[in-house]
Amino acid sequence: MRNLFLALIAGLLFPLAFAPYGLWPLLLVSVALAYWVQASAGSAKAALLGGWVYGLGMFGFGVAWLQVSMTDYGYMPLWMAVPATAAFAALLALFYGLAFWLTRRFGGGGLMFAGAWVLADWLRGWLLTGFPWLYGGYALIDTPLAGLAPLGGIWLMTLAAVILPVTAVELVLRRGRGTGPLVLSLALIVAGVVGGQFSFTHAEGERQQVALVQGNVPQDLKWLATMRKETREIYAGLTEGLPEGTLVVWPESAMIEFYQDIDDFVDDQGEAVAAKGGALISGLPWRDESRSPTTYHNSIAVVGTDSDDGVYHKQKLVPFGEYVPLQGLIRGLIPFFDLPMSSFTPGSPRQPNLYALGHEIAPFICYEILYPELVASRTGGADVLLTISNDAWFGTSAGPHQHFQMTRLRALETGRWLLRGTNNGITAVVDHRGKVVDRLPQFERDVLVAEYQPRRGETPFMLAGVWPTLLLALAFVVLGRGRRARGLLESF
């Protein structure tokens, strides 16, 4: 029972390492306690339970903000929303239970534990479209270990986030014996520091002025038909008078009507911006009647030009928010299963990037910016990353802050500047090292006028992807099963 209590406390500490709290040393404390729980478990079954309780604390606190969208905007009663969020956290917690069980079952040490952790994280980010949230490495974006991102992405950073505290515990448990994890920890620290000093991409051309429009339309009013005219006036008013030669960005679903129904208004706005030497990119729903049956997409388009050649349809859709699994069975049961715009179709992986003002722009809509391989695969020829979002679904909770922190790492992984336009925050410009250049306050109607530097080139992570880190993690797990190999891993 004491071990389970310690596992729960360790799991609850984990989210405090992330935004908006930013207490990143608690990540190391949390992982160290987690490894201690696994190592002191009396059996593999006890380790499984300890890992599950740890994950339950992590996600029970870390993604508790999910209930905001259910209760405030999905009209689900609190007595249903809280158990639903808890059940989701309990399901995600199983991945950590598996990592704990695997390490304890085969008597593996710290490196096996770290390998199993990374493999479990990768699996939960892929299985059933995945939930790539709260990977440990994200909490280290403002530390010297951030230099690992262009080398191995979030995966190498997460491996380091586990190995470092595990090494400290190993040194205590083994009373200083075994140099393998210690040498690897020092190597990761050195690689992070050196990687942070080296730039794998280069500036290409002149800086470009950008205006990110934050309409701050209240989420409880946004989808009302009576709000459509006012929403148009808000965005038109904020766009009017912007400087010449500006790339103007409206956020995800800035217009709630399908482009095909309001193309006159949207194209007029785009043409007005283009007449001043700029370009307008907007998030808006898209109806494709060329297919049978008609398909609907969450999209982003360069408007005021030939929009058919400058549109991107979101690939990674959010379950229940943008599509409803088993909708034939559960549609209509409760209002939450009938949220606005919850019948979208994912876009093709072979879509081209957007082009505006002579730049190739890699576009990502909301949640899909959290998929590192997707971002890396679309960024090779791009000058800049663009993501639009509507985090108003989660109110004043920690969710939007976590989302923005994780978004920043994509800039660091690809060596590109990143533009982020949102409905009510966090709207910001991030440079190629993941640093925030400028941002708007949340919940204010305003325009962020800034500049970005186009960049070209490819980082090692863009070239190799996740596989080197996954193979290393797998090697730690496989080799950790054998006594002789495990001794080699522990002492070299």
Side-chain angles (χ1 to χ4, degrees), residues 479 482-492:
L479 292 175
R483 182 177 301 175
R484 182 176 300 177
R486 185 163 60 248
L488 179 62
L489 284 176
E490 290 170 354
S491 63
F492 284 104

Side-chain angles (χ1 to χ4, degrees), residues 19 71 253 313 340 364 468 474 483:
T71 56
S253 61
H313 304 311
F364 306 95
L474 184 61
R483 182 177 301 175

Side-chain angles (χ1 to χ4, degrees), residues 407-430:
T407 295
R408 290 171 53 202
L409 200 65
R410 301 292 88 82
L412 191 53
E413 288 171 343
T414 59
R416 299 295 196 283
W417 284 53
L418 181 141
L419 316 175
R420 188 172 194 259
T422 70
N423 175 42
N424 70 344
I426 299 169
T427 296
V429 174
V430 179

Side-chain angles (χ1 to χ4, degrees), residues 106-311:
F106 295 105
L111 294 183
M112 185 178 186
F113 181 79
W117 183 300
V118 170
L119 291 175
D121 270 352
W122 177 82
L123 187 62
R124 75 172 170 90
W126 170 81
L127 195 63
L128 300 176
T129 74
F131 186 68
W133 204 271
L134 291 186
Y135 294 149
Y138 284 121
L140 303 178
I141 189 170
D142 294 313
T143 73
L145 287 176
L148 294 173
L151 301 176
I154 181 58
W155 308 111
L156 188 59
M157 288 184 67
T158 298
L159 188 67
V162 179
I163 285 178
L164 265 61
V166 161
T167 297
V169 176
E170 283 278 275
L171 291 175
V172 173
L173 292 176
R174 299 178 183 277
R175 298 182 180 180
R177 291 176 295 168
T179 59
L182 178 59
V183 171
L184 183 56
S185 295
L186 292 175
L188 287 170
I189 293 173
V190 171
V193 173
V194 173
Q197 303 302 313
F198 188 77
S199 181
F200 296 95
T201 60
H202 60 273
E204 183 82 11
E206 300 296 322
R207 287 180 171 245
Q208 170 63 51
Q209 185 165 255
V210 62
L212 303 171
V213 181
Q214 183 171 287
N216 195 36
V217 179
Q219 189 69 8
D220 55 347
L221 302 177
K222 181 178 179 67
W223 306 102
L224 299 178
T226 53
M227 191 67 183
R228 293 175 180 176
K229 182 175 183 294
E230 184 176 345
T231 297
R232 295 187 198 183
E233 292 173 349
I234 288 171
Y235 280 95
L238 291 172
T239 302
E240 185 179 12
L242 288 174
E244 295 184 357
T246 301
L247 176 64
V248 181
V249 177
W250 292 358
E252 180 185 17
S253 61
M255 301 293 109
I256 64 167
E257 300 161 90
F258 288 101
Y259 167 78
Q260 288 71 20
D261 296 330
I262 57 168
D263 54 334
D264 288 345
F265 165 75
V266 174
D267 285 346
D268 284 348
Q269 291 294 309
E271 289 169 3
V273 174
K276 297 194 297 183
L280 173 61
I281 298 179
S282 177
L284 71 183
W286 194 276
R287 184 175 62 242
D288 185 356
E289 297 176 334
S290 66
R291 302 174 63 180
S292 183
T294 299
T295 58
Y296 306 92
H297 302 278
N298 186 358
S299 305
I300 179 171
V302 182
V303 296
T305 59
D306 186 355
S307 298
D308 289 335
D309 293 332
V311 60

Side-chain angles (χ1 to χ4, degrees), residues 222 250-254 283-284 298 314 322 365-366 388-390 421:
K222 181 178 179 67
W250 292 358
E252 180 185 17
S253 61
L284 71 183
N298 186 358
K314 186 179 181 183
E322 294 173 313
I365 301 176
C366 190
I388 57 173
S389 186
N390 179 26

